[in-house]
Amino acid sequence: MELFQSFISDTQELMVDLQKSAADDNFENYYTAVHTLKGLSGTIGCSRMFEVLKVMDSLNKEKNFNHSKSYLHQLSAVFSDTCVAIKNHL
């Protein structure tokens, strides 16, 4: 239970960092946040988040920052759904 609560808390912070980095065009912080979120979601088994972040991470590696940012809305929606699912099972 603690692991899932920690995941939600950590991910919320990283999502804020991600949004701010995208708005500020801070590619280095954006890249780091995406990569970290991908690892967290994969470790905890949030496959929908992991798949979106995998695409974003791949685009970042290709230096296609703007295309990667186009997935932010989808990522936010998936994270919201994930939070609801986790909270319903705790």
Side-chain angles (χ1 to χ4, degrees):
M1 186 176 350
E2 268 185 51
L3 179 64
F4 288 110
Q5 290 171 336
S6 178
F7 170 77
I8 290 172
S9 177
D10 292 347
T11 301
Q12 285 172 332
E13 289 178 28
L14 283 165
M15 291 291 289
V16 169
D17 290 345
L18 185 62
Q19 295 287 347
K20 184 174 178 354
S21 297
D24 294 344
D25 287 330
N26 185 334
F27 180 74
E28 185 175 324
N29 287 348
Y30 179 86
Y31 181 89
T32 300
V34 167
H35 192 74
T36 302
L37 283 167
K38 183 181 86 170
L40 283 173
S41 63
T43 298
I44 202 153
C46 295
S47 58
R48 285 180 58 211
M49 279 187 66
F50 179 78
E51 290 302 321
V52 173
L53 287 157
K54 190 167 91 173
V55 170
M56 293 171 74
D57 192 47
S58 177
L59 290 167
N60 290 343
K61 288 177 181 173
E62 296 170 2
K63 305 277 191 240
N64 198 341
F65 181 56
N66 288 326
H67 192 190
S68 175
K69 288 193 316 184
S70 73
Y71 284 88
L72 284 173
H73 181 71
Q74 181 179 1
L75 177 62
S76 293
V78 170
F79 177 58
S80 179
D81 292 346
T82 300
C83 288
V84 169
I86 289 171
K87 289 177 183 177
N88 285 339
H89 286 92
L90 293 181

